[in-house]
Amino acid sequence: MNNLAVDLPGLQLKNPIMPASGCFGFGREYSEFYDLSKLGAIMMKAATGSERFGNATPRVAETASGMLNAIGLQNPGVESIIETEVSYLANYELPIIANIAGSSIEEYEKVAAAFNETDHVHALELNISCPNVKEGGIQFGTDPKMAANVTERVKKASNLPVYVKLSPNVSDIVAMATAVEAAGADGLSMINTLTGMQIHLPSKRPLLANQTGGLSGAAIKPVAIRMIYEVKQQVSIPIIGMGGITTSEDVLEFLLAGASAVAVGTANFQNPFICPELIDALPHTLKKYGFNTVQDAIGKGITV
Amino acid sequence: MNNLAVDLPGLQLKNPIMPASGCFGFGREYSEFYDLSKLGAIMMKAATGSERFGNATPRVAETASGMLNAIGLQNPGVESIIETEVSYLANYELPIIANIAGSSIEEYEKVAAAFNETDHVHALELNISCPNVKEGGIQFGTDPKMAANVTERVKKASNLPVYVKLSPNVSDIVAMATAVEAAGADGLSMINTLTGMQIHLPSKRPLLANQTGGLSGAAIKPVAIRMIYEVKQQVSIPIIGMGGITTSEDVLEFLLAGASAVAVGTANFQNPFICPELIDALPHTLKKYGFNTVQDAIGKGITV
Amino acid sequence: MKKETMRIKSTKRIALDTVEMVLENNYMSQTAVPGQFLHLLVSGHTLRRPISIADVNKTEHTITILFKMLGSGTHDLASYQVGMTIDALGPSGNGFQLHNDNQSTILLIGGGIGVPPLYYLGKTLAQLDMHIISVLGFQTSKSVFYEEKFRALGETYIVTDDGSYGDQGFVTDVLHSVESFDRYYSCGPVPMLQAVTASLKDKPGYISLEERMGCGVGACFACVIPTDDAGGYKKICKDGPVFDAQEVSL
Amino acid sequence: MKKETMRIKSTKRIALDTVEMVLENNYMSQTAVPGQFLHLLVSGHTLRRPISIADVNKTEHTITILFKMLGSGTHDLASYQVGMTIDALGPSGNGFQLHNDNQSTILLIGGGIGVPPLYYLGKTLAQLDMHIISVLGFQTSKSVFYEEKFRALGETYIVTDDGSYGDQGFVTDVLHSVESFDRYYSCGPVPMLQAVTASLKDKPGYISLEERMGCGVGACFACVIPTDDAGGYKKICKDGPVFDAQEVSL
Ligand SMILES: Cc1cc2nc3c(=O)[nH]c(=O)nc-3n(C[C@H](O)[C@H](O)[C@H](O)COP(=O)(O)OP(=O)(O)OC[C@H]3O[C@@H](n4cnc5c(N)ncnc54)[C@H](O)[C@@H]3O)c2cc1C
Ligand SMILES: Cc1cc2nc3c(=O)[nH]c(=O)nc-3n(C[C@H](O)[C@H](O)[C@H](O)COP(=O)(O)OP(=O)(O)OC[C@H]3O[C@@H](n4cnc5c(N)ncnc54)[C@H](O)[C@@H]3O)c2cc1C
Ligand SMILES: Cc1cc2nc3c(=O)[nH]c(=O)nc-3n(C[C@H](O)[C@H](O)[C@H](O)COP(=O)(O)O)c2cc1C
Ligand SMILES: Cc1cc2nc3c(=O)[nH]c(=O)nc-3n(C[C@H](O)[C@H](O)[C@H](O)COP(=O)(O)O)c2cc1C
Ligand code: FES
Ligand code: FES
């Protein structure tokens, strides 16, 4: 038996490592480096109802052990993604998770319904927390009722399992998690980026054209671990963990905190091979710390 | 004229650099390295109504470009602090800011009233946001109404200017800031630490005995800058900024974002001379980016 | 494009805050074309730094880069010593279109740290028997580099912002003194490129652009540049950094 | 205590994952006493690493440290080369009480990476004409270091957890074979110190403790150890790391 395998709603993962949404496009570029079938799954770049250009540039900044991004959900729109990208990814043996976003509940429903029509998408990741969308997306992410509402509506709009992606920019992450669980979420995905800013000294203004951006990378790992640890104890749906993963020890730390699988974002930019390297390193790391399988390690760091 | 000077309620600062609460004890240890009179001010370690031992060890952990701490408000109690520490610090020429904490509003009032009786404390820093106090401190920090309430009561209990120290672990930092401003706060101090966790792989449990701890250091600077930038536009009381400062460029970045002075925490552990070094470097940095005085730079990064 | 380990063969300051580094790697040196860049990992930094390929020596298996020490990443890179290795992605992006019209006259217009990619381009075009004229702008005399190398390719004008070397002014100030030419290639700060493309709008030309990058491979949408007002765009890291001067909206 | 720059004079692996480094600095070498530690800044790390002073050569102006490569900081430190410098705070903390009873018999009990501070202590006590007996415990044969150096000070017992070298077992297993002694000094993992202080509770002794540190100077309250059940405490970085065996609650 494969000791890295994990079964989650809609997702039979041969290993628990997948690229995080927005950090891997739709896989094409990284397929030049390695065979995407090696991945546990792929989380596609956010899809919206129609094409979006996103924010002005600069869109990224470097911070201590992290980065800020304010891409602004640039994407070719759900129809084009299904036609061009999903059909391309369907050539690989890996579950596809479609990250969906929008400025209105109707837009979320539309995107969810569209992905529901394809055979190749295995789950939806509901991005209620993108800090860069000014039109409305952000409120869903910090208000339990609104988050529950969009979750419920998206569940109705499609038959696909729904993983709700939580924002860390909240006072009470457990309240957000339990609200979307009650609303029918099949899983959680956490965390999205922390809202941050950098001021560019020479120009004396925010470096990002969008002013604020989402902080990701190793800097935020302690926040991600804390939130997963807190949420895991209060929900019974599985968690896909992310936030600053760069080593197989980090992967194990997320599993111990309660994640059932993990996504890797920013680290792809440093090392395009990070995902396959983590997959290769994980068996040894599990063994080193006394685990036979990924399944064994999930939540084992929780001491209550 | 001194181009580094800043006047804030209760605080005539000869320069805008001070050590952050909890990272500098009561100054004694650092007085072995340099003359404390060099500092703009000092923020003392949190004082509670009576002596506290704090959390079990380990109390600190290292993270990427940061650290976690869960000291748990260990301190000898306000009376002993006044007798031993304030009287010691009174030998130096620097404004003293007393950081006050408690598990109940009554305890806050008691501590505030006690400091009010001494001649040597110039302002209070109201620590409503210490993430490590389980008994009650934490709720004040994430609920605008409770924060306003404790602010109001502490203002009544003493004549000293009150700087409310805000927690970044909230959905809406502006709501917190405006609530305490309306309740009579003379200034804000932001940010306290982000709640985080690290899991120790060999023992498969949270590394800190307290499980969670406060994340500080360069890792959190983008969050601090963002929050100060947002709050500055909505309040008219001054902000003492902190969170990850390690260079004089960082100091200027905080000023541009809207801080009127800054505090340096974690960086003291790396370099005990960090505060005087920043003070010495600041004039050159101001000049390099076209400012004559600290006062000139405050809020100049805000573009709206 | 591959991820390769490159060995530092030499490193030296050649102008104010400007470092020339020669990096050894077989794959990179054999496949690079003018205008491409390397995406360099500087230890301790989250994001890689894009640096143009300034010269290639296929027999020595080396690539030369020239970079200015601006922020922390380039300062750290400047402290790397001979013998150390650098993790690089590359050769990245699409290079300059060379065309095959030998005997044509080519104008190279470079500003500051936009000059490096033009050197390998100029050298390659000269080998294709084109006539090279170079107009290079720098901030001040101490920032000037590679003047002799460009002169070896053809007529070369140097301007400095403060007039401390060559003529005082901007590269656009000397464009009128240049004899007629067939095509231009330009790289430098955006205001310079705006001025250049505006004053040469009737000439065919190529420009190389800079933008802050995330992935550097086309996956993250950090480095887009609009191509029209209707939402069209290109990715500088993958579709560029070189574009037809009329193709993108600066 | 000062903040000083120390130059690496030598660095070598002396056992499994164990590095011996000789650091040159006048102030540190002239003022250090046995049991004190250096608080070392490893570049790229937020927190300094406390490492014991294992030996001092006042004429050569050097301090020797021995450290085990455990996590990322000690791994990075192990990669430092001769000639590089390290930023150190020190000499930190209070050292071992030496007493002036020459001719007395002293028992040194060290476990693993707790052995280093005992070497400079033993050397110093031997110079004061005390008789030194050492009991040193290691995980396995490959982890053993400084055996000869301790033998040069006096009778030395080595035990290993797996019996691959010396006797199999823990340091406490051999305490009964030790001839009578006047005083003991011990450093090692907490379970070892608990066992040692329990089995030697009638003997005067000193123990050196470890705890995760923030400031390393006594300001942050990271490294406290309770001294009683009534809220009494000491700071390991400032009041320790050496304590009277009866003084603290392990
Ligand atoms: C295709 C391309 C080719 C380039 N070629 C060269 C060259 O040959 N020589 C040279 O000196 N410079 C070149 N640059 C610019 C160079 O990438 C930046 O000067 C460098 O990244 C700044 O890094 P830093 O650590 O000094 O600055 P920091 O301010 O510390 O960098 C912070 C972040 O911003 C990015 N950044 C800052 N300025 C720029 C910029 N102008 N362009 C892109 N990213 C930036 C950095 O890459 C990093 O991600 C090129 C840029 C691009 C896009
Ligand atoms: C007074 C004193 C003297 C010491 N003397 C020696 C010595 O001579 N040789 C030696 O090899 N080790 C010694 N240690 C232990 C040494 O400090 C740790 O092994 C080292 O800090 C681990 O760092 P790391 O980067 O390998 O581990 P990491 O796990 O990456 O360290 C993370 C953080 O935890 C701290 N930490 C981890 N383990 C310990 C520990 N056991 N004690 C204190 N802090 C720890 C680190 O300092 C750092 O802040 C001493 C500790 C103390 C308190
Ligand atoms: C450049 C960039 C773009 C991102 N785009 C998206 C997105 O479209 N949808 C989404 O849900 N998350 C997006 N994220 C967040 C990541 O998926 C991930 O949650 C976050 O970066 C934390 O993981 P990391 O620290 O490993 O990067 C983006 C992150 C980055 C850095
Ligand atoms: C070890 C430690 C102890 C702290 N104790 C206190 C405290 O007692 N009261 C308080 O208001 N903040 C306390 N803080 C928070 C700091 O004052 C500061 O707000 C925070 O660390 C961010 O600044 P920095 O990144 O410069 O450290 C503590 C921080 C650290 C690292
Ligand atoms: S840098 Fe990621 S798309 Fe260009
Ligand atoms: S480490 Fe700060 S008090 Fe000991």
Side-chain angles (χ1 to χ4, degrees):
Chain A
M1 211 211 74
N2 175 352
N3 64 359
L4 297 185
V6 190
D7 266 18
L8 302 180
L11 305 169
Q12 294 211 321
L13 307 178
K14 58 187 167 299
N15 66 64
I17 313 281
M18 61 191 90
S21 180
C23 302
F24 205 76
F26 302 96
R28 282 180 194 276
E29 294 78 15
Y30 291 92
S31 75
E32 290 181 35
F33 293 103
Y34 60 88
D35 178 1
L36 300 182
S37 297
K38 188 140 200 212
L39 297 169
I42 182 173
M43 292 173 137
M44 294 192 298
K45 169 87 192 136
T48 53
S50 42
E51 186 180 6
R52 285 213 200 192
F53 179 73
N55 296 319
T57 56
R59 293 178 170 185
V60 292
E62 186 176 72
T63 70
S65 296
M67 66 175 284
L68 292 166
N69 89 81
I71 306 295
L73 294 184
Q74 176 156 22
N75 80 97
V78 63
E79 292 308 336
S80 159
I81 289 172
I82 290 171
E83 217 170 290
T84 317
E85 308 300 343
V86 173
S87 60
Y88 165 77
L89 283 170
N91 297 320
Y92 294 94
E93 280 176 42
L94 86 174
I96 299 173
I97 303 170
N99 184 282
I100 72 176
S103 326
S104 65
I105 295 200
E106 290 67 32
E107 188 174 356
Y108 277 98
E109 288 176 322
K110 176 185 161 184
V111 180
F115 280 123
N116 195 42
E117 295 307 303
T118 78
D119 287 339
H120 301 297
V121 169
H122 300 74
L124 300 178
E125 186 185 39
L126 192 57
N127 179 1
I128 57 168
S129 50
C130 183
N132 301 321
V133 183
K134 290 260 174 79
E135 299 101 302
I138 189 154
Q139 298 95 319
F140 300 138
T142 54
D143 182 89
K145 280 201 209 85
M146 290 183 69
N149 191 18
V150 63
T151 304
E152 214 170 292
R153 298 267 296 268
V154 164
K155 278 294 292 178
K156 282 196 191 120
S158 108
N159 300 315
L160 293 167
V162 173
Y163 291 78
V164 180
K165 184 156 183 179
L166 301 183
S167 164
N169 302 294
V170 297
S171 310
D172 188 347
I173 192 73
V174 171
M176 294 297 304
T178 51
V180 302
E181 180 180 36
D186 301 279
L188 299 170
S189 146
M190 56 193 292
I191 59 176
N192 211 318
T193 52
L194 279 161
T195 309
M197 181 188 274
Q198 186 171 104
I199 294 184
H200 186 235
L201 300 190
S203 64
K204 301 175 188 64
R205 40 162 297 130
L207 192 149
L208 299 177
N210 186 56
Q211 299 201 341
T212 61
L215 181 63
S216 62
I220 70 168
K221 195 184 70 170
V223 176
I225 294 290
R226 186 264 294 184
M227 290 187 162
I228 291 168
Y229 188 94
E230 286 176 354
V231 165
K232 177 69 180 174
Q233 298 169 60
Q234 306 298 331
V235 300
S236 50
I237 50 178
I239 300 169
I240 301 176
M242 64 204 69
I245 292 174
T246 63
T247 67
S248 60
E249 280 78 16
D250 292 340
V251 173
L252 179 55
E253 190 179 356
F254 273 79
L255 296 175
L256 293 175
S260 297
V262 300
V264 180
T266 305
N268 290 288
F269 304 163
Q270 279 206 337
N271 176 8
F273 293 99
I274 185 73
C275 289
E277 286 179 9
L278 292 176
I279 293 164
D280 291 342
L282 193 55
H284 174 75
T285 303
L286 285 170
K287 201 164 158 216
K288 177 169 172 197
Y289 292 101
F291 296 102
N292 287 320
T293 67
V294 164
Q295 193 63 50
D296 282 348
I298 299 168
K300 286 294 164 23
I302 300 178
T303 56
V304 266
Chain B
M1 210 210 77
N2 175 351
N3 64 0
L4 297 185
V6 190
D7 267 18
L8 302 181
L11 305 169
Q12 294 210 319
L13 306 177
K14 57 185 169 297
N15 67 64
I17 313 281
M18 61 191 90
S21 179
C23 303
F24 206 74
F26 302 96
R28 282 180 195 276
E29 294 78 15
Y30 290 93
S31 75
E32 290 181 35
F33 293 104
Y34 60 88
D35 178 2
L36 300 182
S37 298
K38 186 137 203 217
L39 297 168
I42 182 172
M43 293 174 136
M44 296 191 299
K45 170 86 193 140
T48 54
S50 44
E51 185 180 8
R52 284 214 201 191
F53 180 73
N55 296 320
T57 56
R59 293 177 171 188
V60 291
E62 186 175 72
T63 69
S65 296
M67 64 175 285
L68 292 167
N69 89 81
I71 306 296
L73 294 184
Q74 177 156 20
N75 80 97
V78 64
E79 292 308 337
S80 159
I81 289 172
I82 290 171
E83 217 170 291
T84 318
E85 308 298 345
V86 173
S87 60
Y88 165 76
L89 283 170
N91 297 319
Y92 295 94
E93 280 176 43
L94 85 174
I96 300 173
I97 302 168
N99 184 283
I100 72 176
S103 325
S104 66
I105 294 199
E106 290 68 31
E107 187 174 359
Y108 277 97
E109 289 176 321
K110 176 184 161 185
V111 180
F115 280 123
N116 195 42
E117 296 305 305
T118 78
D119 287 339
H120 301 298
V121 168
H122 300 74
L124 300 178
E125 186 186 37
L126 191 59
N127 180 1
I128 55 168
S129 49
C130 182
N132 302 321
V133 183
K134 290 261 174 77
E135 299 100 304
I138 189 154
Q139 297 94 319
F140 300 138
T142 54
D143 182 272
K145 280 200 209 85
M146 290 183 70
N149 191 19
V150 63
T151 304
E152 215 169 292
R153 298 267 296 268
V154 164
K155 277 296 290 178
K156 285 199 189 117
S158 110
N159 300 315
L160 293 167
V162 173
Y163 291 77
V164 180
K165 184 155 183 181
L166 300 183
S167 165
N169 302 293
V170 297
S171 310
D172 187 348
I173 192 74
V174 172
M176 294 298 302
T178 52
V180 302
E181 180 181 37
D186 301 279
L188 299 169
S189 146
M190 54 195 291
I191 58 174
N192 211 319
T193 52
L194 279 161
T195 309
M197 180 187 273
Q198 186 171 101
I199 294 183
H200 187 235
L201 300 190
S203 64
K204 301 175 189 65
R205 41 164 294 131
L207 192 147
L208 299 177
N210 186 56
Q211 298 200 343
T212 62
L215 181 63
S216 62
I220 70 168
K221 196 185 69 169
V223 176
I225 294 290
R226 185 264 294 184
M227 290 188 163
I228 292 168
Y229 189 93
E230 285 176 355
V231 165
K232 176 68 178 174
Q233 297 169 61
Q234 307 296 332
V235 301
S236 50
I237 50 177
I239 300 170
I240 301 176
M242 65 204 68
I245 292 174
T246 63
T247 66
S248 60
E249 280 78 16
D250 293 340
V251 173
L252 179 55
E253 189 178 356
F254 274 81
L255 297 174
L256 292 175
S260 297
V262 299
V264 180
T266 305
N268 290 287
F269 304 164
Q270 279 206 339
N271 176 8
F273 293 99
I274 186 71
C275 289
E277 287 178 8
L278 292 176
I279 294 164
D280 290 342
L282 192 55
H284 174 76
T285 304
L286 285 170
K287 201 163 156 217
K288 176 168 172 197
Y289 293 101
F291 297 103
N292 289 317
T293 68
V294 164
Q295 194 63 49
D296 282 350
I298 298 168
K300 287 295 165 21
I302 300 178
T303 55
V304 267
Chain C
M1 182 178 38
K2 286 196 180 177
K3 178 168 170 290
E4 293 282 306
T5 299
M6 303 185 77
R7 217 184 116 268
I8 302 176
K9 273 197 76 172
S10 75
T11 172
K12 89 170 173 256
R13 295 281 173 98
I14 58 160
L16 181 69
D17 292 338
T18 309
V19 176
E20 179 196 66
M21 225 179 225
V22 180
L23 304 173
E24 194 174 37
N25 178 274
N26 185 39
Y27 173 78
M28 298 291 192
S29 58
Q30 301 313 308
T31 55
V33 299
Q36 288 185 306
F37 66 96
L38 300 175
H39 208 29
L40 301 176
L41 189 64
V42 184
S43 133
H45 291 269
T46 305
L47 297 176
R48 289 172 179 263
R49 266 51 180 177
I51 302 288
S52 301
I53 291 167
D55 199 4
V56 173
N57 185 326
K58 288 193 201 282
T59 41
E60 301 266 307
H61 301 277
T62 59
I63 282 184
T64 300
I65 58 172
L66 293 167
F67 62 90
K68 183 132 188 204
M69 294 157 66
L70 283 174
S72 56
T74 48
H75 270 92
D76 289 354
L77 192 58
S79 74
Y80 279 39
Q81 306 290 318
V82 170
M84 288 170 70
T85 58
I86 303 181
D87 175 327
L89 292 181
S92 300
N94 288 312
F96 294 103
Q97 289 235 24
L98 303 182
H99 298 271
N100 275 325
D101 50 350
N102 51 11
Q103 300 308 327
S104 60
T105 300
I106 302 297
L107 180 60
L108 307 178
I109 311 162
I113 207 60
V115 168
L118 299 181
Y119 180 66
Y120 185 43
L121 172 69
K123 208 172 119 177
T124 308
L125 296 177
Q127 277 160 4
L128 294 172
D129 280 337
M130 302 185 198
H131 303 290
I132 311 294
I133 305 172
S134 306
V135 179
L136 310 177
F138 297 93
Q139 276 179 341
T140 181
S141 64
K142 288 189 182 151
S143 329
V144 177
F145 58 86
Y146 269 34
E147 179 184 0
E148 289 316 311
K149 293 197 173 234
F150 278 92
R151 288 207 191 283
L153 302 176
E155 199 179 342
T156 298
Y157 302 80
I158 307 276
V159 297
T160 53
D161 295 1
D162 63 0
S164 56
Y165 192 86
D167 286 338
Q168 194 267 319
F170 299 118
V171 290
T172 39
D173 297 334
V174 289
L175 293 184
H176 63 89
S177 10
V178 172
E179 60 171 283
S180 76
F181 59 92
D182 299 295
R183 199 161 62 247
Y184 72 92
Y185 295 89
S186 186
C187 184
V190 169
M192 183 196 99
L193 295 177
Q194 285 169 329
V196 165
T197 51
S199 76
L200 300 179
K201 63 175 169 301
D202 302 325
K203 288 283 188 179
Y206 296 95
I207 55 174
S208 178
L209 299 179
E210 291 187 2
E211 187 50 80
R212 288 177 189 250
M213 294 185 178
C215 64
V217 304
C220 78
F221 294 89
C223 67
V224 299
I225 177 144
T227 49
D228 54 41
D229 293 335
Y233 65 89
K234 298 273 179 181
K235 293 174 190 162
I236 289 177
C237 69
K238 199 170 168 83
D239 306 319
V242 177
F243 296 97
D244 186 297
Q246 309 312 324
E247 190 182 3
V248 288
S249 325
L250 285 179
Chain D
M1 182 178 39
K2 287 195 179 177
K3 176 168 171 290
E4 294 280 305
T5 299
M6 305 184 77
R7 218 185 114 269
I8 301 176
K9 273 196 75 171
S10 76
T11 173
K12 86 169 174 256
R13 295 282 174 98
I14 56 161
L16 181 69
D17 292 337
T18 308
V19 176
E20 179 194 69
M21 225 181 228
V22 180
L23 305 172
E24 193 174 36
N25 179 275
N26 184 40
Y27 173 77
M28 297 292 194
S29 59
Q30 302 312 309
T31 55
V33 299
Q36 288 186 304
F37 66 94
L38 299 176
H39 208 31
L40 302 177
L41 189 64
V42 184
S43 137
H45 291 269
T46 305
L47 297 177
R48 289 172 178 263
R49 266 52 180 176
I51 302 289
S52 301
I53 291 167
D55 199 4
V56 173
N57 185 326
K58 287 193 201 284
T59 43
E60 303 266 308
H61 302 276
T62 58
I63 283 184
T64 301
I65 58 172
L66 293 167
F67 62 89
K68 183 133 186 201
M69 295 157 65
L70 283 173
S72 56
T74 48
H75 270 92
D76 289 354
L77 192 58
S79 74
Y80 279 38
Q81 305 289 318
V82 170
M84 287 170 71
T85 58
I86 303 181
D87 175 328
L89 292 182
S92 300
N94 288 312
F96 293 104
Q97 288 235 25
L98 303 181
H99 299 270
N100 274 325
D101 49 349
N102 51 13
Q103 300 308 327
S104 61
T105 300
I106 302 297
L107 180 60
L108 306 178
I109 311 162
I113 207 61
V115 168
L118 299 180
Y119 180 65
Y120 184 43
L121 172 69
K123 208 171 121 178
T124 307
L125 296 176
Q127 277 160 3
L128 294 172
D129 280 338
M130 302 185 198
H131 303 291
I132 310 294
I133 305 172
S134 305
V135 178
L136 309 178
F138 296 93
Q139 277 179 340
T140 181
S141 63
K142 287 188 182 154
S143 329
V144 177
F145 59 85
Y146 268 34
E147 179 184 2
E148 288 316 311
K149 291 193 174 240
F150 277 94
R151 287 207 191 285
L153 302 177
E155 199 178 342
T156 298
Y157 302 80
I158 307 277
V159 297
T160 53
D161 295 0
D162 62 0
S164 55
Y165 193 84
D167 285 339
Q168 194 267 320
F170 298 118
V171 290
T172 38
D173 296 335
V174 289
L175 292 185
H176 61 90
S177 10
V178 172
E179 60 172 280
S180 77
F181 59 92
D182 299 294
R183 198 159 67 248
Y184 73 90
Y185 296 90
S186 185
C187 184
V190 169
M192 184 196 98
L193 294 177
Q194 284 168 330
V196 165
T197 52
S199 77
L200 300 179
K201 63 174 168 300
D202 302 324
K203 287 284 189 179
Y206 296 95
I207 55 174
S208 179
L209 300 179
E210 291 186 2
E211 187 48 83
R212 287 177 191 249
M213 294 186 178
C215 65
V217 303
C220 77
F221 294 89
C223 68
V224 300
I225 176 144
T227 49
D228 55 40
D229 292 335
Y233 65 90
K234 297 273 179 183
K235 292 173 189 161
I236 289 177
C237 69
K238 199 172 168 78
D239 306 318
V242 177
F243 296 96
D244 186 296
Q246 310 311 324
E247 190 182 4
V248 288
S249 323
L250 285 178

